[in-house]
Amino acid sequence: MNGHPDRPNWFSRPAPIGLALGSGVARGWTHIGVLRALERAGIRPDIIAGTSIGAVVGGCYAAGKLNQLEEWARGLTQSRLFRFLDIRLGSSGLIAGNRLADELTEKLGDLESQHLSQRFIAIATELATGHEIWLREGNLVENLRASYALPGIFNPVKVHNHWLIDGALVNPVPVSACRAFGARLVIAVNLNADSFGKGTFADAEHLHHNETEEDEDSGFRSLLSGANRPDRLLLRQLFGVGNSAPGLTDVMFASLNIIQDRLARSRLAGDPPDVTINPQVAHVGLMEFHRATELIELGEEAMEAALPTVQDALSFLQ
């Protein structure tokens, strides 16, 4: 699970490239655009490390399933998103996450992380100790679930008898993992660079962005289906619908955003990447997964702007 990295032979081949894909909840669709821009430039990372949504996108890319993930992301609407939120009150997380895991399993099957075409590391946090865990072997879907298991939202995931939660709590932009596995050039994608103080949470307004009221109502009704009246009232409180104040989930995501911002600044200062991509995505709420098309385009633009720097670095290292 958290084994020692192989000792890299840095000069045995041309400049191994590492790509560190950061956490950012819905803003993580930006990573798809980054990868598309790299593909068009003929640049293929040798090592991919991802945290949370960065692990999901990076894992799908390493598995050769980025097209399927992109198609699914672009097709998400608010009402479709609600259908994936299997609310489970009384458990260790608000969302059981089984429906999302089933969707990932449909796309990725029973692939194992160590059998992917590229070195791939998903970052998670051990709940009992707070240790940073690098998941590079075992079932890929389970590793991804552990990496995005946001406390209070998703249930912790048990991997090799260890309860794991979201890796964003320890390493939001995992440059260190890329370095440890031999990357000479590390490109980092930080989705929190412009976040603090702007759009840090998606309040009730996000339920009306690019959707008709009928779509939103049907999505929210599907979320509440089967719940009794007390539970319906509780769910409205959790999501802040119809309230002037943010709901509980809004506060949790905003708090995570602040933690990620502060921790990412510290980690990146101590172990800076060679190239940092800072897509301007603060205006997108953390739960606005239905804005994938916009986010993918922003990722492409940010990566294309940085390509001359990447190519200069590669020419120097060759």
Side-chain angles (χ1 to χ4, degrees), residues 9-18 44-47 181-186 314 317:
N9 184 0
W10 284 9
F11 302 102
S12 63
R13 59 194 176 103
I17 300 171
R44 183 175 175 82
D46 303 281
I47 302 146
F181 286 99
R184 292 189 64 205
L185 174 70
V186 177
L314 284 173
L317 290 170

Side-chain angles (χ1 to χ4, degrees), residues 3-46:
H4 296 290
D6 301 331
R7 184 179 299 276
N9 184 0
W10 284 9
F11 302 102
S12 63
R13 59 194 176 103
I17 300 171
L19 182 63
L21 300 177
S23 56
V25 201
R27 295 168 185 161
W29 296 144
T30 307
H31 294 315
I32 297 175
V34 168
L35 286 163
R36 292 304 188 200
L38 285 172
E39 282 181 336
R40 287 195 297 270
I43 298 172
R44 183 175 175 82
D46 303 281

Side-chain angles (χ1 to χ4, degrees), residues 155-226:
N155 291 331
V157 176
K158 196 171 190 179
V159 178
H160 300 304
N161 293 318
H162 297 266
W163 287 106
L164 304 181
I165 55 177
D166 199 320
L169 298 176
V170 289
N171 197 352
V173 188
V175 172
S176 55
C178 292
R179 294 260 189 239
F181 286 99
R184 292 189 64 205
L185 174 70
V186 177
I187 303 168
V189 186
N190 181 12
L191 301 180
N192 302 292
D194 69 332
S195 293
F196 186 70
K198 297 183 294 180
T200 52
F201 64 86
D203 58 17
E205 183 180 352
H206 81 275
L207 294 173
H208 303 283
H209 184 89
N210 291 335
E211 293 274 352
T212 65
E213 284 192 18
E214 182 178 352
D215 287 336
E216 183 270 307
D217 287 344
S218 64
F220 194 63
R221 280 200 301 271
S222 69
L223 179 68
L224 299 178
S225 62

